[in-house]
Amino acid sequence: FFFFLMIRRPPRSTHCISSAASDVYKRQTWGSGRQSLTKLATFICDFTLFTIEVTKNYNKVMWQEDLKKALRIAGTEDKKLVFLLPDTKTKPDFILEDINILLNVGDTFNLWNREDKLEIAYSIASKHPSIAHYTKEQLYDFFIERISTNLHIVLTMSSAGTRLRRSMRMFPSLANCCTIDWFDKWPELSLIHISEPTRPLYISYAVFCLKKKKKKKKTKKKQKK
């Protein structure tokens, strides 16, 4: 039963991720398998998975550097990228603020300085000689088009509490520019079925331990005699 419930999810996730210029917004309570199924769908599509590590000292500068890495992979290296952002890693509002703009426009404001744009234009021109005659602005537009095609943002947030409603009000692109995938709670029967295959193992192991103890007692008695 649990297997049939699980097997329904990957096709839906792979369809959303494999579609061009698509982003996914997965919502439900914790422990429903949103991150695991996203990683499985990424593996099935043969895409690159990218995520961030948020610590106590994580600030906006560190976030912008991580975001630049992801955008370079999708835009300059021309790789299909899944940017996985769980709700535990999007607590700072500046993360969702940039994601909101990125979903809507395809770029974020004040992220790239002049040197970064020159580096992007040079790397694209070197990899694509056919468009090397383009201007810097045209090469940067080509870079943004690549990002909108290759980058797939997956947000996994819980519907518990008020944070979800607050985020949807403050950042409307989370609803307007994403495919929303609701994850239901696992039924009790499916959770029981998970534990059933392990029960015979526990019983057989307990019987094996009891037999060993009995053998040890018998050998000790023989030694005393």
Side-chain angles (χ1 to χ4, degrees):
F1 183 73
F2 177 76
F3 176 75
F4 288 112
L5 287 174
M6 281 288 293
I7 206 168
R8 292 177 186 175
R9 285 292 176 184
R12 188 183 303 176
S13 298
T14 51
H15 175 71
C16 293
I17 290 172
S18 60
S19 301
S22 64
D23 303 289
V24 189
Y25 188 26
K26 299 186 176 183
R27 301 193 295 184
Q28 203 25 271
T29 54
W30 293 287
S32 55
R34 295 163 298 174
Q35 293 185 51
S36 300
L37 290 174
T38 301
K39 292 175 182 178
L40 177 60
T42 305
F43 176 77
I44 292 170
C45 294
D46 198 19
F47 288 177
T48 303
L49 182 68
F50 187 89
T51 187
I52 58 174
E53 292 296 331
V54 178
T55 58
K56 291 181 180 179
N57 300 323
Y58 196 80
N59 53 27
K60 192 170 184 178
V61 177
M62 298 170 71
W63 156 248
Q64 287 180 343
E65 290 299 320
D66 288 335
L67 184 58
K68 283 180 181 179
K69 288 178 185 177
L71 296 181
R72 281 195 178 100
I73 293 170
T76 307
E77 300 179 16
D78 195 20
K79 290 183 178 179
K80 301 290 185 181
L81 184 73
V82 174
F83 195 175
L84 177 60
L85 287 169
D87 50 359
T88 55
K89 298 180 180 181
T90 57
K91 287 183 179 179
D93 285 339
F94 57 78
I95 293 178
L96 289 179
E97 185 179 349
D98 286 341
I99 292 296
N100 181 62
I101 299 169
L102 187 63
L103 289 170
N104 195 12
V105 183
D107 194 7
T108 54
F109 304 125
N110 302 322
L111 179 65
W112 309 101
N113 55 32
R114 189 178 178 182
E115 293 177 357
D116 292 333
K117 289 184 178 181
L118 285 172
E119 183 186 347
I120 290 167
Y122 175 77
S123 60
I124 289 175
S126 61
K127 290 180 180 179
H128 302 278
S130 59
I131 59 171
H133 62 280
Y134 283 9
T135 62
K136 295 172 186 176
E137 290 76 14
Q138 289 175 330
L139 289 170
Y140 183 74
D141 291 339
F142 180 80
F143 172 73
I144 297 301
E145 287 178 7
R146 279 275 186 85
I147 290 171
S148 62
T149 304
N150 293 333
L151 181 63
H152 305 275
I153 299 171
V154 179
L155 295 161
T156 60
M157 298 186 73
S158 174
S159 58
T162 59
R163 186 170 180 268
L164 177 62
R165 285 176 287 176
R166 175 177 168 273
S167 300
M168 298 289 279
R169 286 196 300 266
M170 291 179 64
F171 313 109
S173 294
L174 299 182
N176 299 333
C177 303
C178 290
T179 302
I180 300 174
D181 189 6
W182 282 96
F183 274 60
D184 300 326
K185 290 182 179 178
W186 296 115
E188 290 184 6
L189 184 61
S190 64
L191 299 176
I192 292 168
H193 284 178
I194 294 171
S195 62
E196 278 182 353
T198 59
R199 285 177 187 173
L201 294 175
Y202 291 137
I203 293 166
S204 60
Y205 182 70
V207 171
F208 176 74
C209 291
L210 287 170
K211 285 180 179 179
K212 267 200 166 185
K213 284 182 180 180
K214 286 178 180 179
K215 283 182 179 179
K216 284 182 180 179
K217 286 180 181 178
K218 286 180 179 179
T219 52
K220 284 181 180 179
K221 285 180 181 178
K222 287 179 181 180
Q223 287 175 1
K224 284 180 181 179
K225 288 178 181 180

